[in-house]
Amino acid sequence: WAVHVDARNRVWIGTGNAGLAMLDVDRRDFSYYDHRSHPAIGSDDVWSITSTRDGTVWFGTANGGLHRLSPDGAITRFMPRAGDPRSLPDAGVGQLAMTPDGTLWIGTKNGVARWTGRDFERLAPEALNSQAVNGLSVDVDGALWIGTPRGVSVRHPDGSVSRSPWRGYGKTLFHMLLR
């Protein structure tokens, strides 16, 4: 489902039902992270992976939320909490993106959020053409492009959002943008 190479040159592989696998720098040995060996993992269906400068690996799952794997091996799971707008928008995390300033963005089946370091700041629902997020991509200027089944939105580095970034283009753009 997902592949990511981190800053240490380790290859992280998200699978459809076997969790997360990590191929070491020498490309000889795998380490495995799944619900059976690490009960903090909510689902073995890993849809997205990214990492931060400090060596933390983040991974999103089909219905088990967002997970943070710290350099010391500790796993923290984040899930939506009813009535809490500072929680994850949805347990289905299909997209992760890191901006040049180190901000982690999370695309879910029910919206987009930014990790603040302790909780999540959601984009307003009206900022997106649809709450189902199919793709996230960051351009060189730090703008976050958000693909949905009903079109593309862009969140600019200044925080402004446009639901129709191409003026005069009358057709709906579907799915995701890729660089």
Side-chain angles (χ1 to χ4, degrees), residues 66-82:
L66 177 68
H67 300 76
R68 179 179 59 202
L69 175 57
S70 299
D72 67 3
I75 296 173
T76 306
R77 180 180 178 201
F78 299 93
M79 289 291 287
R81 292 184 303 273

Side-chain angles (χ1 to χ4, degrees), residues 27-87:
R27 306 293 191 258
R28 292 187 185 151
D29 296 311
F30 279 96
S31 297
Y32 298 96
Y33 302 84
D34 61 15
H35 180 72
R36 193 179 66 176
S37 62
H38 297 81
I41 296 175
S43 168
D44 287 333
D45 195 356
V46 177
W47 281 0
S48 53
I49 310 166
T50 195
S51 58
T52 57
R53 294 179 204 139
D54 68 358
T56 300
V57 173
W58 292 83
F59 61 100
T61 63
N63 58 11
L66 177 68
H67 300 76
R68 179 179 59 202
L69 175 57
S70 299
D72 67 3
I75 296 173
T76 306
R77 180 180 178 201
F78 299 93
M79 289 291 287
R81 292 184 303 273
D84 183 357
R86 302 296 292 190
S87 70

Side-chain angles (χ1 to χ4, degrees):
W1 292 118
V3 177
H4 174 73
V5 180
D6 68 15
R8 292 176 46 194
N9 203 28
R10 298 176 298 178
V11 179
W12 295 87
I13 303 156
T15 70
N17 60 10
L20 187 65
M22 186 269 296
L23 180 59
D24 69 8
V25 176
D26 298 324
R27 306 293 191 258
R28 292 187 185 151
D29 296 311
F30 279 96
S31 297
Y32 298 96
Y33 302 84
D34 61 15
H35 180 72
R36 193 179 66 176
S37 62
H38 297 81
I41 296 175
S43 168
D44 287 333
D45 195 356
V46 177
W47 281 0
S48 53
I49 310 166
T50 195
S51 58
T52 57
R53 294 179 204 139
D54 68 358
T56 300
V57 173
W58 292 83
F59 61 100
T61 63
N63 58 11
L66 177 68
H67 300 76
R68 179 179 59 202
L69 175 57
S70 299
D72 67 3
I75 296 173
T76 306
R77 180 180 178 201
F78 299 93
M79 289 291 287
R81 292 184 303 273
D84 183 357
R86 302 296 292 190
S87 70
L88 195 65
D90 193 87
V93 178
Q95 306 294 323
L96 297 172
M98 193 74 59
T99 60
D101 68 0
T103 301
L104 173 66
W105 286 93
I106 303 99
T108 75
K109 293 181 198 175
N110 193 31
V112 174
R114 173 182 76 86
W115 172 245
T116 68
R118 62 180 184 275
D119 61 9
F120 300 90
E121 181 180 326
R122 299 178 186 188
L123 282 185
E126 58 272 9
L128 303 176
N129 294 294
S130 166
Q131 293 302 293
V133 177
N134 296 9
L136 292 179
S137 187
V138 178
D139 69 22
V140 295
D141 297 326
L144 178 71
W145 293 84
I146 305 158
T148 76
R150 293 193 181 137
V152 175
S153 297
V154 61
R155 182 195 181 274
H156 301 281
D158 67 4
S160 64
V161 179
S162 173
R163 287 179 46 167
S164 54
W166 296 280
R167 295 183 201 275
Y169 187 79
K171 298 177 183 175
T172 302
L173 294 174
F174 290 96
H175 304 291
M176 69 179 124
L177 285 178
L178 297 175
R179 285 187 265 168

